[in-house]
Amino acid sequence: MNIVKEKLSVFFILIFSLLGATKGHTQDLHQTFAFANELIESEQYERALLTFHRVLFFGKGSYQEEIFHQMGTCYYELQDFENAARYYDLAYFAEKNDSIKIELTFKKTSSLLLNKDYGYAQIELFNLPDNLNPYFSQKRNFYEGITYFGLGNFTESEKKFLRALPSGNAEEKEEIKQIFKNLEKVEKISPKKARILSMFIPGLGQVYAGDWRNGLNSFLLNAGFAVLAVQTAFQYSIWDVAISILPWYQRYHMGGYMGAERIAYEKIEREKGLIYSEILEVISETKTD
Amino acid sequence: MGKKTFIILAFQISLFNFFVTAQSLPEVKAHQKLMVEEEEKEEYEFARESKNEVEMVFSGLFLGYKKFISSQDGNTCVFTPSCSEYALMSIKKHGIILGTANAFDRLTRCNGLSPEKYRKDPESTLMIDKLE
């Protein structure tokens, strides 16, 4: 009798513990998802990602719509833009609502832009439907403005940035046009010209690119070697100059004109970056929602 | 669509077009620094900390060389850290005699003739030869 009783109690314990475990699992998944969302709200993105991964693994396909979107946000906030773009893409395909799909496309575009993948960002914007409402259309113009600027198509970029501003901001539009005019001056700087100038007169290319300190430095260094070469030629012979001075002169002369080209490139990139930042500053000053 | 609804909708759209921008302020600010290129400046922290007068003199020579001579040169050194950095670190660690000998040993190896002996730095593609 005792054995039967014992067996029965073991059987019931097993049944109840299994039931409890199953129920507990379902609740856990739901609670884990809620917990991950709480972690996002408290800006603990790395922990939130770990938790979302757990929900994805045990959820077997459920919660995907929300999870991919939230994971994209976590990666975006952690500045891992490559993964952010990947998860926004997954969220896009899991989503059914058209408006949210468009928002996800913008988020993916933003991630690609911040990762400096301007070409892919442009492809993403091409995927948007033509008949967007004014809100999304304006947003597309804003992102297209950035994309074209990154790709070096400044004419298109200017058009898009101007369209990204509401019609009530005539003053800001004029300001943007003026900023793009300044860009024409920067585009006139030619790294090739800087290189050639420095080939003839060491340091001149650097001065042309606006770097006086390096220009003077290069000039004095090369002039020093030239004086040394003349002195050696008079005191010893031209062969002594060829063996002892010429390799050094050649090294710093070459370094000078290559440096001039690099300085000109860097100057162009720096100026473009500042102009771009100025444009976005003007846009940020317009009335926002 | 009724006439009234159409008028309300058209009014809202025109109002939106006139006043409100779709891109939010944080969205604009997030992209503002995207293309801003910061000027890279090498600080050479190790050269600015000297324990005695000898180290101070060599550090000064090194910084002067880097600022006025090396800056006008192309990328000629095949190693990272460069030979001048290696020389100064070596003098600071082993003293003038051993440090200078070590620096000259490094200069004799700065030719790229035996790349199989060194690992390459993926970023600069230079051969890694740290001071031991």
Side-chain angles (χ1 to χ4, degrees):
Chain A
M1 189 65 191
N2 265 348
I3 296 166
V4 177
K5 227 177 179 180
E6 213 173 275
K7 276 187 179 175
L8 265 174
S9 54
V10 168
F11 174 75
F12 280 117
I13 286 168
L14 269 173
I15 289 291
F16 282 118
S17 58
L18 274 174
L19 277 173
T22 325
K23 204 178 173 190
H25 177 74
T26 323
Q27 277 181 335
D28 270 350
L29 204 61
H30 185 70
Q31 279 172 348
T32 314
F33 180 66
F35 175 62
N37 283 325
E38 274 171 33
L39 286 171
I40 288 192
E41 272 169 36
S42 57
E43 297 179 2
Q44 297 181 58
Y45 302 110
E46 278 174 29
R47 285 185 67 197
L49 273 172
L50 283 174
T51 319
F52 279 132
H53 273 296
R54 200 181 305 159
V55 178
L56 260 187
F57 183 78
F58 291 108
K60 291 171 186 163
S62 55
Y63 297 103
Q64 276 189 353
E65 249 172 67
E66 300 97 328
I67 280 186
F68 287 147
H69 192 161
Q70 296 288 61
M71 283 175 86
T73 308
C74 287
Y75 279 117
Y76 191 93
E77 293 296 332
L78 289 168
Q79 305 201 333
D80 180 351
F81 300 114
E82 204 178 325
N83 270 320
R86 194 171 143 238
Y87 277 94
Y88 281 138
D89 196 48
L90 288 169
Y92 177 90
F93 287 107
E95 184 59 55
K96 289 171 191 79
N97 183 309
D98 282 345
S99 294
I100 300 176
K101 272 188 162 201
I102 294 170
E103 272 296 351
L104 284 166
T105 307
F106 284 125
K107 283 183 176 177
K108 190 185 170 190
T109 308
S110 169
S111 309
L112 290 166
L113 286 172
L114 291 168
N115 207 31
K116 303 205 172 184
D117 290 330
Y118 303 114
Y120 284 117
Q122 195 178 32
I123 294 169
E124 227 26 71
L125 291 169
F126 281 147
N127 285 338
L128 286 168
D130 293 332
N131 53 343
L132 288 174
N133 65 31
Y135 174 83
F136 284 135
S137 184
Q138 208 177 74
K139 210 166 187 168
R140 174 165 66 185
N141 283 323
F142 170 70
Y143 280 111
E144 279 181 337
I146 300 176
T147 310
Y148 279 119
F149 200 99
L151 290 169
N153 187 345
F154 303 115
T155 322
E156 277 302 308
S157 176
E158 184 179 356
K159 277 185 207 165
K160 299 293 176 183
F161 275 131
L162 289 174
R163 278 185 210 158
L165 292 176
S167 38
N169 295 279
E171 204 178 300
E172 280 84 359
K173 283 188 180 188
E174 208 46 54
E175 220 173 314
I176 285 184
K177 279 181 194 167
Q178 195 52 46
I179 295 170
F180 269 97
K181 269 190 189 145
N182 293 342
L183 195 64
E184 287 168 17
K185 286 179 205 159
V186 178
E187 278 190 297
K188 279 182 187 159
I189 300 172
S190 159
K192 289 271 175 291
K193 200 191 250 181
R195 184 188 171 104
I196 292 164
L197 284 172
S198 273
M199 272 180 188
F200 289 108
I201 301 170
L204 195 60
Q206 285 91 326
V207 173
Y208 162 77
D211 191 343
W212 279 85
R213 194 199 71 78
N214 260 313
L216 194 66
N217 193 162
S218 179
F219 180 76
L220 289 176
L221 196 66
N222 281 285
F225 278 118
V227 169
L228 204 63
V230 173
Q231 262 187 355
T232 314
F234 279 114
Q235 277 181 9
Y236 301 97
S237 70
I238 198 85
W239 298 111
D240 287 290
V241 175
I243 292 166
S244 58
I245 315 288
L246 212 60
W248 289 99
Y249 180 78
Q250 181 258 349
R251 180 169 163 172
Y252 288 103
H253 182 255
M254 222 171 123
Y257 67 71
M258 281 162 75
E261 191 176 9
R262 179 182 44 79
I263 286 167
Y265 270 120
E266 283 173 1
K267 164 109 179 168
I268 293 169
E269 289 310 310
R270 229 178 11 257
E271 291 292 319
K272 276 184 192 170
L274 290 175
I275 284 170
Y276 165 81
S277 178
E278 250 179 90
I279 295 164
L280 262 69
E281 187 61 42
V282 173
I283 292 176
S284 73
E285 281 165 7
T286 56
K287 299 159 193 84
T288 50
D289 52 345
Chain B
M1 193 189 287
K3 202 177 171 184
K4 206 174 169 185
T5 324
F6 177 76
I7 291 167
I8 291 169
L9 205 67
F11 177 71
Q12 277 182 342
I13 288 172
S14 60
L15 204 67
F16 176 85
N17 266 335
F18 200 78
F19 286 121
V20 184
T21 52
Q23 54 281 351
S24 64
L25 191 60
E27 212 171 350
V28 178
K29 289 284 175 197
H31 296 86
Q32 197 171 355
K33 297 279 168 217
L34 176 63
M35 291 176 217
V36 178
E37 303 270 331
E38 298 290 335
E39 219 170 328
E40 278 179 39
K41 276 189 182 167
E42 298 213 49
E43 296 296 332
Y44 305 115
E45 284 302 319
F46 66 94
R48 293 177 197 280
E49 292 158 10
S50 303
K51 279 182 246 153
N52 50 47
E53 287 75 12
V54 177
E55 282 191 8
M56 208 183 283
V57 169
F58 276 99
S59 295
L61 287 171
F62 168 81
L63 290 171
Y65 166 76
K66 278 287 182 194
K67 186 130 184 113
F68 299 109
I69 300 172
S70 177
S71 63
Q72 303 305 317
D73 199 358
N75 295 325
T76 44
C77 185
V78 297
F79 286 118
T80 177
S82 71
C83 290
S84 53
E85 288 166 40
Y86 185 94
L88 182 65
M89 283 192 269
S90 182
I91 289 169
K92 282 195 171 184
K93 191 173 177 183
H94 302 294
I96 298 181
I97 298 168
L98 268 177
T100 312
N102 205 9
F104 274 105
D105 170 68
R106 167 59 113 72
L107 286 169
T108 59
R109 290 183 283 117
C110 184
N111 47 43
L113 292 176
S114 34
E116 70 281 356
K117 289 183 182 169
Y118 305 95
R119 280 188 301 115
K120 276 207 169 181
D121 177 38
E123 209 172 299
S124 60
T125 70
L126 295 170
M127 295 193 284
I128 302 168
D129 179 37
K130 287 184 179 163
L131 182 71
E132 281 167 14

